[in-house]
């Protein structure tokens, strides 16, 4: 695959052409490029995490964390990865495995631990963002959807405990869950374009996502809309409401 064809494939995916319509090697190139991008973003997130900073949260906006719900699961996965690394190293030494093989496996396992740390860091440093101009829904380094406030018709709280998959598109609805849960719904006046983790493109009019504190998120929607209105713009950015559903209920 030439550099030119690779650039054309990325341009096609970025301009709205679904990855499944990009043929053969070009599709592989687009997917690999996105995977490399995830890893690079994860490394940047590690640096931000160490410095206790967040990415993409301006002073005029409110960060809406979602890492709390998945923290225990991610930490458990990290611990298992570290234990596996140590156990495999001990086993290889015990059976007298050659050093090149042992070192190669050690590097792969250590890289797996680093990636696990990067995902945790990206989740912590990349919260959802509610600002006067946009609502930004994210999932670590894998998803970043920016919704202009002018398109937001309503934001409401609807708890759902049986979501399937972490990032999924169901018809014209985008679901971004945490441990199978969502608790906020954004209704849009017009569809917005969403690029899924591996490059597939969808257009959605409803977004369901999870926030550690949905009540605070709704308050941020209201306060930012009020700020916009008081500034004389005449835009409210949508109304907010709270309508919790019983456990296990589906979001509207």
């Amino acid at each position: 695959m030439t550099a030119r064809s690779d650039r054309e494939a990325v341009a096609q995916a970025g301009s709205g052409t679904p990855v499944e319509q990009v043929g053969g090697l070009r599709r592989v190139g687009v997917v690999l490029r996105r995977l490399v991008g995830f890893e690079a973003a994860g490394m940047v997130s590690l640096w931000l995490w160490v410095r206790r900073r967040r990415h993409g949260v301006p002073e005029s906006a409110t960060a809406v964390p979602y890492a709390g719900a998945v923290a225990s699961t991610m930490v458990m996965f990290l611990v298992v990865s570290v234990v596996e690394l140590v156990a495999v190293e001990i086993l290889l030494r015990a059976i007298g495995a050659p050093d090149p093989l042992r070192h190669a496996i050690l590097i792969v396992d250590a890289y797996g631990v680093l990636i696990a740390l990067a995902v945790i860091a990206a989740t912590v440093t990349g919260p959802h963002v509610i600002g006067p101009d946009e609502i930004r829904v994210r999932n670590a380094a894998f998803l970043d959807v920016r919704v202009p406030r002018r398109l937001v018709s309503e934001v409401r709280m609807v708890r759902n405990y049986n979501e399937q998959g972490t990032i999924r598109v169901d018809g014209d609805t985008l679901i971004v869950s945490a441990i199978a849960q969502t608790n906020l719904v954004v209704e849009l006046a017009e569809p917005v374009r969403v690029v899924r983790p591996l490059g597939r493109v969808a257009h959605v009019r409803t977004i369901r996502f999870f926030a550690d504190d949905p009540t605070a998120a709704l308050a941020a929607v209201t306060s930012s809309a009020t700020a916009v209105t008081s500034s004389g713009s005449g835009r409210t950015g949508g109304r907010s409401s709270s309508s919790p559903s019983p456990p296990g209920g589906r979001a509207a």
Side-chain angles (χ1 to χ4, degrees):
M1 179 174 62
T2 66
R4 180 179 178 182
S5 63
D6 187 44
R7 286 196 300 270
E8 290 174 349
V10 174
Q12 282 182 294
S15 63
T17 301
V19 164
E20 58 268 27
Q21 292 182 11
V22 179
L25 293 178
R26 292 186 179 185
R27 178 173 58 188
V28 174
V30 173
V31 172
L32 289 177
R33 186 177 289 271
R34 291 189 67 85
L35 292 175
V36 171
F38 295 153
E39 294 189 11
M43 298 304 110
V44 173
S45 297
L46 277 173
W47 172 244
L48 292 174
W49 195 24
V50 169
R51 300 182 64 188
R52 297 186 178 182
R53 297 178 59 185
R54 292 177 298 198
H55 170 258
V57 185
E59 292 183 3
S60 61
T62 301
V64 180
Y66 54 90
V70 296
S72 58
T73 301
M74 292 190 295
V75 170
M76 186 181 301
F77 178 78
L78 178 63
V79 171
V80 169
S81 298
V82 172
V83 170
E84 179 188 6
L85 184 153
V86 175
V88 170
E89 174 65 10
I90 293 174
L91 176 63
L92 291 176
R93 284 180 178 271
I95 64 176
D99 286 346
L101 174 62
R102 186 168 55 83
H103 293 161
I105 294 176
L106 181 63
I107 290 172
V108 171
D109 284 346
Y111 186 69
V113 172
L114 180 64
I115 292 300
L117 279 170
V119 171
I120 295 173
T123 303
V124 173
T125 61
H128 307 308
V129 181
I130 295 176
D133 299 318
E134 67 177 5
I135 293 178
R136 192 171 180 181
V137 178
R138 300 194 276 191
N139 183 274
F142 307 118
L143 182 76
D144 188 353
V145 180
R146 308 179 82 143
V147 181
R149 287 298 294 265
R150 62 181 177 79
L151 298 182
V152 177
S153 58
E154 182 182 10
V155 181
R156 65 183 187 274
M157 184 165 64
V158 181
R159 297 183 184 275
N160 186 12
Y161 298 92
N162 58 351
E163 298 286 9
Q164 298 178 1
T166 302
I167 301 171
R168 184 169 64 93
V169 174
D170 183 8
D172 63 352
T173 300
L174 171 67
I175 298 108
V176 186
S177 67
I179 56 171
Q181 298 182 52
T182 57
N183 50 27
L184 289 170
V185 178
V186 178
E187 299 285 357
L188 306 177
E190 301 175 13
V192 296
R193 180 176 175 274
V194 173
V195 180
R196 287 184 272 183
L198 295 183
R200 293 184 177 181
V201 174
H203 292 82
V204 301
R205 295 194 62 154
T206 302
I207 301 176
R208 298 204 303 260
F209 65 101
F210 180 87
D212 288 339
D213 188 346
T215 302
L218 281 175
V221 171
T222 302
S223 61
S224 61
T226 302
V228 170
T229 302
S230 63
S231 69
S233 68
R235 291 182 293 114
T236 62
R239 61 190 179 90
S240 63
S241 63
S242 175
S243 54
S245 63
R250 298 296 298 178

